Amino acid sequence: MDEWLVRVRSAGLAIAVALLAAAPFSAPAIATPDALQSWNEGDAKRAITDFVAAVTTEGSADFVPPGERIATFDNDGTLWSEQPMYVQLAFALDRVRAMAPDHPEWKDKEPFKSVLANDIKSIAASGQRSIAEIVAATHAGMTTAEFEKIVTGWIATAKNPKTGKLDEAMIFQPMLELIAYLKANGFDVFIVSGGGVEFMRPWAERTYGIPAENIIGSSIKMKYHSDATNPTIVRLPEVDFVDDGAGKPVGIQKFIGKRPIAAFGNSDGDFEMLEWTTTGPGRRLGMIVHHDDALREFAYDRTSEFGRLDKALNTAPQRGWNVVSMKNDWSRVFPDKEGQSAPRQ
Amino acid sequence: MDEWLVRVRSAGLAIAVALLAAAPFSAPAIATPDALQSWNEGDAKRAITDFVAAVTTEGSADFVPPGERIATFDNDGTLWSEQPMYVQLAFALDRVRAMAPDHPEWKDKEPFKSVLANDIKSIAASGQRSIAEIVAATHAGMTTAEFEKIVTGWIATAKNPKTGKLDEAMIFQPMLELIAYLKANGFDVFIVSGGGVEFMRPWAERTYGIPAENIIGSSIKMKYHSDATNPTIVRLPEVDFVDDGAGKPVGIQKFIGKRPIAAFGNSDGDFEMLEWTTTGPGRRLGMIVHHDDALREFAYDRTSEFGRLDKALNTAPQRGWNVVSMKNDWSRVFPDKEGQSAPRQ
C-alpha cells in the first residue's frame, strides 16, 4: 500500500492531492455498510462502527491519531475455533504420534503413553506439567527454520476432529471483516494470544492478513549458533514467556509499547487484556465473542476446558465490554470457501 | 500514509490509478540523489542504492516483496553518539544522583558511592554486577507509565558531557536519511539495540521516525496489577532479555519473526546480527559505521570501552560487510538544527 502511495507522490500527481484536500477529512476512511457484511445490525455492530467513527473523526474529542490506534485480538476462540481442543494441542499430539517411532520409551512413559493410547482425558487431567513435557518434546530441540517447516506442513492438512473441516477454514468471517475494517481505518492490528508465537506466524499472516511482526504469543527460549555460512537459532525446552491472563498486558507492553484502544477476546484468559485496554484514557472498545451457536460452531462458556468464559462474562456489563452473540450478531460464521452458501440470517 | 491512500481509493480516483498503471513499475519508488544527500558519492552510498534498486525491482532475481523487506539498525553508535559513555548510562548515573537524598545509605555503599563521587573509572572497572545494581535501583520499582515520564523529562535536557549538545541533537543525519529512504522503498525498519527498550521508546519515535512497536531492546521483567479502574504494569529488578551480541538474532526472531535483509551496526555487539542478516538467501546488505572522525564526532574502535569494534572490523571484508567511514562517506554528521551550517565536504 505504502509503495503504491509513494508512486503516487513521486509521479507528482498534484491533481490527486488537490482532490484529496477537498475530500471531507473528518469522515472515517471506510465505513460502508459492506465492510462488516457478516455482522447483523444490532448493538455489537453499532458499538464497533460508532467507536471507529469517534476515534477517526478529526476534531472530535475522541480522536486518536493513527499511530496510537492499536487493536489487539486474542486468537483461539476469537479468530478461529478452539473446540473440541486448541489447534496447537492437536498439533502437539500429532507430533508425539509422528515422533513415536524414534522414541520407543514413550510407550511406557507418561504423558506420552496416554497420547499414544489416544486417552485425551488422562492428558487433560494430568495438568500443566504434562503439557509442558509434551511441548518440550515436540516444540523444542530443532532450529526455528525446521519448526516453521513442520508447522507449515502440518497446518496444510490439519482438520477439526468434530467438523472434518480444515482448521484454517474454521476462522471467523466476521472477525476477518473486522480486522480489515480496522486496518482500513488506520489501526495497527495485533494478535495477542496464549498460543505459541512460532506456531501462529507460519500461517497467520496469510490467513488473517496480520504480519508476523504483529503476532504476540507465548514463547520458549532460543539460542543463536554463530556460523560464517549457516548460522541457526535453536529452540530450547524452556518456557520464556506465557502470554495469557495477566501476561497479556505485559506482552502488549513488551512487544508493542503502546496501550491498545480496542481489544477483542473470548475467554477469561483475555480478562486482563480487556481491563488494561478499556481503563485507559479516552474512548475505548472491549469486546467478547460469546460462543452460543451450537448449530453453526460450538456453544460453551463457564465450564469449558478450553476457552472458559466465566469471570469476564460476569464482569462485562459493569466494565462496559460488549458481548457478541455468535448466534445473533453474526450472519455468517466461516468464510465457507467451498460453496459460498448463503449466510444464515 | 495508509489512511491517505484509503481516501485516494475511496474517493474513486480512477484517473490516478490509470496514470499509475502507466508508470514504470520496475523502478524503485524513490531513488533520487537527494534522498541520501548527506552521503558522499562512493562505495558505501553505492552499496546502499544498488542494494535497494535490486531488491525493489520487480522481475529482478533479487526482488524481495515489501513485507519481507526488513531492515534492522543498532542504536548506540549507529544512530546516535555513544561517547564518552552510553546515553542510557548517563541517565542511570543522573538517576542515582537524583534519588540519593532518599537513599542516605548510598554514601557508603558501592557502586552508588562511586557514582556520587563522580568516579566513573571505578564504576566501569567494577563490572557487570555493579551496572546491574545501578539499573535495578534506577530502572525498576515503578510503573511503566512513571518510567516513561522520567525518561521523557530527562531526555528533554540531557546533554553530551563532551560537546554540550543535546543528546537528541547528536543523532546521525545520514542515518536519518537512510531510514527514510528505506521506508520510502517499502522497508519495515526496526531498531535492535542492546539498550533498554523502555528507555528508547519515549523519544525514538519522534527522533528517528521509527514507531515504538518497531523498537527492540534489552528489557527487565514486568508484572501486571489488575484493578477495575487503574491497573498498572510494574517494572521489576530482574533482567528479562539482553538484546546484545548473540541476543540480537534471538531478539529479531522473537519480536519480528522474519530474517532481515539489511542490517546496520557499529560494534562487535552487532556481529551476530550482521551475520544472521547477511547469511540468509538472496541479496543482503550488512553495514558497519566506523567512527573515524575525531573532528566532527569521535574516533574510536578496537580498544574503546563503549562500542568496541574489533572482530567485526577484521571480518568485514571476508563477510562482504560494508564499512562506512564517517570521515569520508558522510558530508554531514548531525542534523545541526541550530544554524544549519554548510555540510563539510
Side-chain angles (χ1 to χ4, degrees):
Chain A
M1 293 263 257
D2 269 357
E3 207 194 4
W4 192 78
L5 171 60
V6 166
R7 286 206 194 89
V8 175
R9 300 188 67 176
S10 60
L13 289 173
I15 183 173
V17 177
L19 284 168
L20 279 168
F25 236 71
S26 58
I30 290 189
T32 65
D34 281 334
L36 300 174
Q37 60 182 318
S38 301
W39 291 77
N40 290 323
E41 297 306 322
D43 289 350
K45 183 174 183 171
R46 197 161 39 243
I48 295 168
T49 54
D50 283 358
F51 169 77
V52 169
V55 300
T56 58
T57 300
E58 271 185 89
S60 142
D62 297 322
F63 180 73
V64 177
E68 304 296 323
R69 289 180 205 157
I70 306 293
T72 54
F73 287 81
D74 169 57
N75 181 39
D76 295 309
T78 298
L79 297 181
W80 73 350
S81 289
E82 64 187 350
Q83 299 291 352
M85 73 175 92
Y86 295 132
V87 175
Q88 190 173 2
L89 179 56
F91 166 76
L93 302 184
D94 270 1
R95 288 301 302 156
V96 168
R97 293 179 199 114
M99 294 166 73
D102 293 332
H103 295 271
E105 76 280 10
W106 283 356
K107 265 183 292 197
D108 306 305
K109 193 185 165 194
E110 289 296 2
F112 306 100
K113 191 179 161 186
S114 294
V115 175
L116 297 173
N118 231 352
D119 183 0
I120 307 298
K121 266 221 164 99
S122 292
I123 305 164
S126 64
Q128 283 296 95
R129 200 202 177 107
S130 293
I131 302 289
E133 273 187 72
I134 292 171
V135 167
T138 58
H139 285 60
M142 73 287 280
T143 68
T144 52
E146 286 161 354
F147 187 69
E148 183 183 343
K149 214 171 146 185
I150 292 168
V151 172
T152 302
W154 183 84
I155 199 82
T157 60
K159 287 178 176 161
N160 184 293
K162 277 263 168 97
T163 67
K165 287 171 103 168
L166 284 173
D167 286 317
E168 270 196 286
M170 291 188 67
I171 56 177
F172 304 141
Q173 176 63 23
M175 299 307 271
L176 295 183
E177 294 168 9
L178 178 54
I179 290 168
Y181 174 72
L182 291 173
K183 286 171 73 174
N185 280 284
F187 279 76
D188 242 339
V189 174
F190 292 82
I191 289 177
V192 178
S193 169
V197 62
E198 300 218 326
F199 176 74
M200 293 182 280
R201 281 177 172 158
W203 51 268
E205 180 153 359
R206 165 188 75 215
T207 305
Y208 301 132
I210 297 176
E213 60 269 30
N214 282 21
I215 300 175
I216 298 165
S218 297
S219 57
I220 57 178
K221 288 197 191 287
M222 298 182 280
K223 191 172 177 359
Y224 180 73
H225 290 267
S226 182
D227 186 288
T229 56
N230 187 31
T232 52
I233 299 175
V234 170
R235 294 168 55 79
L236 307 178
E238 191 186 341
V239 170
D240 178 42
F241 178 62
V242 177
D243 190 48
D244 198 27
K248 289 201 176 194
V250 171
I252 287 167
Q253 184 67 20
K254 266 166 80 106
F255 286 81
I256 310 176
K258 292 173 181 169
R259 197 161 175 175
I261 62 169
F264 305 88
N266 78 297
S267 79
D268 286 353
D270 302 312
F271 183 91
E272 287 85 354
M273 174 171 75
L274 287 161
E275 180 179 82
W276 178 240
T277 300
T278 57
T279 50
R283 183 112 176 213
R284 305 284 168 141
L285 180 66
M287 200 160 254
I288 295 170
V289 175
H290 189 199
H291 293 260
D292 59 359
D293 194 334
L295 196 60
R296 296 187 300 178
E297 202 241 5
F298 301 99
Y300 60 96
D301 47 34
R302 298 182 191 279
T303 60
S304 177
E305 191 109 41
F306 303 105
R308 192 157 79 101
L309 174 65
D310 187 32
K311 181 183 170 193
L313 195 57
N314 292 340
T315 323
Q318 73 211 56
R319 298 291 184 106
W321 300 340
N322 303 272
V323 177
V324 177
S325 160
M326 286 184 77
K327 196 165 148 184
N328 300 320
D329 288 316
W330 290 359
S331 63
R332 167 182 285 192
V333 175
F334 302 116
D336 206 6
K337 279 167 196 163
E338 323 94 271
Q340 290 291 356
S341 60
R344 185 179 112 156
Q345 292 301 334
Chain B
M1 294 264 257
D2 268 354
E3 207 195 5
W4 191 76
L5 172 59
V6 165
R7 286 204 193 91
V8 175
R9 300 187 67 173
S10 60
L13 290 173
I15 183 172
V17 177
L19 284 168
L20 279 169
F25 238 70
S26 57
I30 290 189
T32 64
D34 281 334
L36 300 174
Q37 58 181 320
S38 301
W39 292 76
N40 290 324
E41 298 305 323
D43 289 350
K45 182 172 185 174
R46 198 161 39 242
I48 295 168
T49 53
D50 283 358
F51 169 77
V52 169
V55 299
T56 57
T57 301
E58 271 185 89
S60 143
D62 297 322
F63 180 74
V64 176
E68 304 296 323
R69 289 180 205 155
I70 307 293
T72 54
F73 288 80
D74 169 56
N75 181 40
D76 295 308
T78 298
L79 298 182
W80 73 351
S81 289
E82 65 187 351
Q83 298 293 352
M85 72 175 92
Y86 296 132
V87 175
Q88 191 173 2
L89 180 56
F91 166 76
L93 302 184
D94 270 0
R95 289 302 301 156
V96 169
R97 292 178 201 116
M99 295 166 73
D102 294 332
H103 293 272
E105 76 280 10
W106 284 356
K107 264 182 290 194
D108 306 306
K109 195 184 164 195
E110 290 294 1
F112 306 101
K113 190 179 161 188
S114 293
V115 175
L116 297 173
N118 232 352
D119 182 359
I120 307 298
K121 267 223 163 99
S122 291
I123 305 163
S126 64
Q128 283 297 94
R129 199 200 177 108
S130 292
I131 301 290
E133 273 186 75
I134 292 171
V135 167
T138 57
H139 286 61
M142 73 287 280
T143 69
T144 52
E146 286 161 352
F147 186 69
E148 185 184 339
K149 214 170 144 184
I150 292 168
V151 172
T152 302
W154 184 84
I155 199 82
T157 60
K159 288 179 176 159
N160 184 292
K162 276 264 168 101
T163 67
K165 287 171 101 170
L166 284 173
D167 285 317
E168 269 194 289
M170 291 188 67
I171 56 176
F172 304 139
Q173 175 64 22
M175 299 308 271
L176 295 183
E177 294 168 9
L178 178 54
I179 289 168
Y181 174 72
L182 291 172
K183 286 171 75 174
N185 280 285
F187 279 75
D188 243 339
V189 174
F190 293 82
I191 289 176
V192 178
S193 168
V197 63
E198 300 217 326
F199 175 74
M200 293 182 279
R201 280 175 171 161
W203 51 267
E205 181 154 357
R206 165 190 75 214
T207 305
Y208 301 132
I210 297 176
E213 60 268 32
N214 281 22
I215 299 176
I216 299 165
S218 297
S219 57
I220 58 179
K221 288 197 191 288
M222 296 181 282
K223 192 174 180 352
Y224 180 72
H225 290 267
S226 182
D227 186 289
T229 56
N230 187 30
T232 51
I233 299 175
V234 170
R235 295 168 56 80
L236 308 177
E238 191 186 341
V239 170
D240 179 42
F241 178 61
V242 178
D243 190 47
D244 198 27
K248 289 202 175 191
V250 170
I252 287 167
Q253 183 66 22
K254 266 166 81 107
F255 287 81
I256 312 176
K258 292 172 180 169
R259 196 161 175 175
I261 62 170
F264 306 87
N266 78 297
S267 78
D268 285 353
D270 302 312
F271 183 91
E272 288 85 352
M273 174 171 78
L274 287 161
E275 180 180 82
W276 178 240
T277 300
T278 56
T279 50
R283 182 110 176 214
R284 305 284 167 141
L285 180 66
M287 201 160 252
I288 295 169
V289 175
H290 188 199
H291 294 260
D292 58 359
D293 194 334
L295 195 61
R296 296 186 301 179
E297 201 239 7
F298 300 99
Y300 60 98
D301 47 33
R302 298 181 191 278
T303 59
S304 177
E305 191 111 40
F306 304 106
R308 191 157 79 101
L309 174 65
D310 185 32
K311 182 182 170 193
L313 195 58
N314 292 340
T315 324
Q318 72 210 57
R319 298 292 183 107
W321 300 340
N322 304 272
V323 177
V324 177
S325 160
M326 287 183 76
K327 195 166 148 184
N328 300 319
D329 288 316
W330 290 359
S331 63
R332 166 180 288 190
V333 175
F334 302 116
D336 205 6
K337 281 167 193 161
E338 324 95 88
Q340 291 291 353
S341 61
R344 185 178 112 154
Q345 292 299 333

